[in-house]
């Protein structure tokens, strides 16, 4: 669950669903997002064709955020 910065108002709820063995681990293959600010509208994301990839350590540094736009 995600709450407003004051911690009192719930903004979104995520439900991880459809767990399957993928790439050697149990992983959710779907995510259902409930938007409590927009009449409890629901967004569903389904994952498929997962693959492992190397990611550079630099991507996880705060200085890299300015490159994402």
């Amino acid at each position: 669950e995600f709450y407003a910065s004051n911690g009192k108002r719930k903004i979104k709820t995520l439900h991880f669903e459809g767990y399957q063995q993928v790439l050697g681990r149990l992983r959710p293959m779907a995510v259902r997002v409930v938007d409590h600010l927009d009449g409890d509208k629901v967004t569903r994301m389904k994952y498929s064709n997962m693959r492992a990839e190397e990611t550079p350590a630099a991507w996880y540094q705060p200085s890299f955020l300015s490159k994402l736009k």
Side-chain angles (χ1 to χ4, degrees), residues 18-29 49-51:
Y19 283 82
Q20 296 178 11
Q21 283 288 334
V22 178
L23 300 172
R25 298 184 75 180
L26 193 60
R27 302 173 191 272
M29 298 305 291
N49 302 320
M50 286 188 181
R51 65 182 187 275

Side-chain angles (χ1 to χ4, degrees), residues 25-63:
R25 298 184 75 180
L26 193 60
R27 302 173 191 272
M29 298 305 291
V31 178
R32 181 170 40 103
V33 181
V34 181
D35 186 340
H36 302 291
L37 299 181
D38 195 10
D40 289 339
K41 287 187 179 176
V42 174
T43 299
R44 287 184 172 80
M45 297 178 280
K46 293 183 180 181
Y47 299 100
S48 62
N49 302 320
M50 286 188 181
R51 65 182 187 275
E53 287 188 15
E54 293 290 325
T55 49
W59 288 11
Y60 300 98
Q61 302 304 314
S63 59

Side-chain angles (χ1 to χ4, degrees), residues 58-59 61-69:
W59 288 11
Q61 302 304 314
S63 59
F64 188 77
L65 291 176
S66 63
K67 298 177 183 180
L68 301 173
K69 291 187 179 183

